[in-house]
Amino acid sequence: MAKQGKNQGDLQGLNRALVMRLIHRHRVCSRAELARRTGLTKASITGIIQQLIDAGVVREVGLMEMPGGHRSMGLSLCAEQYLCIGLRLTRRHIRGGLFDMGGEMYEKLECKISPETGPRTALQMMKEIIGGLLEAAAGRRVLGIGVATPGPILYQEGRIAYMSAFPGWSDISIPEEMEKAFGLPVLLEHDGVCCALWEWWNRPPGEEYGLMLCVLAGQGIGAGLLMAGEPIRGALGCAGEIGHMSVHAHGPQCDCGNHGCLEKYVSTFALEEEMAQALAKNLDHPRHGESPAAREILTMVRSGDSLAREIFCRQGEWLGQGIVNLVNILNPDRIVITDELAACDQLLYACVDQVLKARLSPRIYREVSLVVRPEKPFQAMQAASALILDRFLSEPSFFKPQENNSSMDE
């Protein structure tokens, strides 16, 4: 049973994490500004900052101008001294990147996989990518490895319960394998939660969300849920598996055992399948008889191909119907849609928003902020590295050598 009370060490850790997160968010802060934003006394802030400076996590960066003409010593994280590895596993690729605490990427590596590759071979390829990224670190401190994977995830076991169209992962504990190979902390998380955390960290200044839903519309459909910035994982870690929400009770059976799952109607795989079937029937289309890949289809959508746009819009409508269900159940105030299908961001937004407007009550519709954000290069790897960064900001002593632990917890 998890403890409910907070001892003095817990409170110090929470205050330290709050201070570090504020410095990370604002890049440079003064002690006075930290005291104002946290509500902690100036003496408490001074003590926390001295601990972080002694631990090599924070440094003074010179005087900064303050309101009223005052000047105060600025503080920033030692971002470049600590690196994180972010890894994203999909059904078709493994991508890895080496990042500092500010999100700057130093190296990237990737390889292609498929269900025929098999999970054990794919795991070995993941290890090879990590090995290459560690070499690129050139002796600098690597805090750990964040791994973003499709779900559902058995969070406490560090296992993927099942991966649609890519069986066999349930027998592998990815954190256990990686920690044994590299001796570094490894955090496994649903890719939707990773991207939601990254959205939270990079939200515009002053914006706060009660419940944020980050939907990944790509090879599958998943989501990350954050309540005031904290992930909602559910009892086993399987929360957010919206791709396995049934939107058609008599639809095709999914690998999860359900029928008519959302990702059977919305995903890059569904897009490819539907487009191939349509091209086989459409004798007048210049690509009649072809089976284009999702990337090609999205290019066709953007170039105005009427058949591609029709199929894409139908997928957008299905996604909108799924999101309507989630809004009525969860009542989020912020919804972000990203990943591969968001490459056609304006059209996807229009399709989803039209469904939300038609099927939600006017009051609820007005209170939901919808954003469709094209996936940025390396975003998913940055999102995975955010796992390690989040843990570091919460528990910096977790990553320090044993002899330095005491200075962080006194």
Side-chain angles (χ1 to χ4, degrees), residues 14-33:
L14 290 172
N15 289 337
R16 188 167 55 234
L18 176 60
V19 168
M20 290 183 67
R21 286 192 169 105
L22 283 170
I23 298 175
H24 178 263
R25 176 149 180 74
H26 296 282
R27 305 301 181 189
V28 179
C29 276
S30 68
R31 290 172 174 82
E33 181 71 3

Side-chain angles (χ1 to χ4, degrees), residues 225-241:
L225 301 169
L226 297 185
M227 176 66 78
E230 293 297 322
I232 300 174
R233 297 191 178 92
L236 297 176
C238 299
E241 280 307 307

Side-chain angles (χ1 to χ4, degrees), residues 28 30 33 62-74:
V28 179
S30 68
E33 181 71 3
L63 294 174
M64 55 187 293
E65 296 293 332
M66 303 295 292
H70 300 292
R71 303 179 75 191
S72 185
M73 184 62 66

Side-chain angles (χ1 to χ4, degrees), residues 13-259:
L14 290 172
N15 289 337
R16 188 167 55 234
L18 176 60
V19 168
M20 290 183 67
R21 286 192 169 105
L22 283 170
I23 298 175
H24 178 263
R25 176 149 180 74
H26 296 282
R27 305 301 181 189
V28 179
C29 276
S30 68
R31 290 172 174 82
E33 181 71 3
L34 290 170
R36 185 182 71 81
R37 290 181 178 274
T38 62
L40 296 172
T41 66
K42 291 183 178 180
S44 295
I45 290 293
T46 297
I48 290 171
I49 292 301
Q50 192 58 53
Q51 288 181 346
L52 297 175
I53 289 175
D54 291 343
V57 177
V58 167
R59 65 185 170 198
E60 295 180 331
V61 293
L63 294 174
M64 55 187 293
E65 296 293 332
M66 303 295 292
H70 300 292
R71 303 179 75 191
S72 185
M73 184 62 66
L75 303 162
S76 73
L77 295 181
C78 301
E80 74 285 352
Q81 294 187 19
Y82 297 95
L83 302 178
C84 307
I85 289 176
L87 204 70
R88 189 184 187 190
L89 170 67
T90 74
R91 297 162 179 84
R92 290 179 171 171
H93 296 91
I94 301 168
R95 294 187 173 99
L98 184 67
F99 302 90
D100 68 17
M101 292 174 62
E104 181 179 349
M105 185 172 66
Y106 291 83
E107 183 63 88
K108 66 179 187 298
L109 296 170
E110 66 178 288
C111 63
K112 293 183 178 180
I113 59 172
S114 70
E116 290 71 31
T117 304
R120 283 290 170 186
T121 300
L123 179 68
Q124 182 58 38
M125 296 165 79
M126 292 167 69
K127 291 179 180 179
E128 291 172 3
I129 285 178
I130 293 172
L133 294 173
L134 288 173
E135 288 183 14
R140 293 166 69 183
R141 179 76 183 277
V142 176
L143 294 173
I145 303 164
V147 184
T149 77
I153 291 173
L154 301 176
Y155 187 74
Q156 297 298 329
E157 299 177 19
R159 299 176 188 271
I160 303 171
Y162 57 86
M163 190 187 301
S164 301
F166 200 150
W169 286 98
S170 60
D171 298 328
I172 298 173
S173 172
I174 294 176
E176 184 178 310
E177 292 275 355
M178 298 302 183
E179 288 172 4
K180 187 185 301 182
F182 302 105
L184 290 170
V186 179
L187 300 178
L188 181 73
E189 186 60 271
H190 192 292
D191 48 11
V193 172
C194 292
C195 288
L197 284 170
W198 193 251
E199 285 286 337
W200 178 265
W201 282 113
N202 292 279
R203 68 195 186 280
E207 287 198 13
E208 300 293 334
Y209 314 121
L211 179 62
M212 184 170 72
L213 174 67
C214 184
V215 178
L216 270 61
Q219 295 172 27
I221 302 294
L225 301 169
L226 297 185
M227 176 66 78
E230 293 297 322
I232 300 174
R233 297 191 178 92
L236 297 176
C238 299
E241 280 307 307
I242 67 171
H244 297 290
M245 173 199 326
S246 180
V247 292
H248 191 321
H250 303 291
Q253 186 170 20
C254 179
D255 291 349
C256 72
N258 199 1
H259 285 263

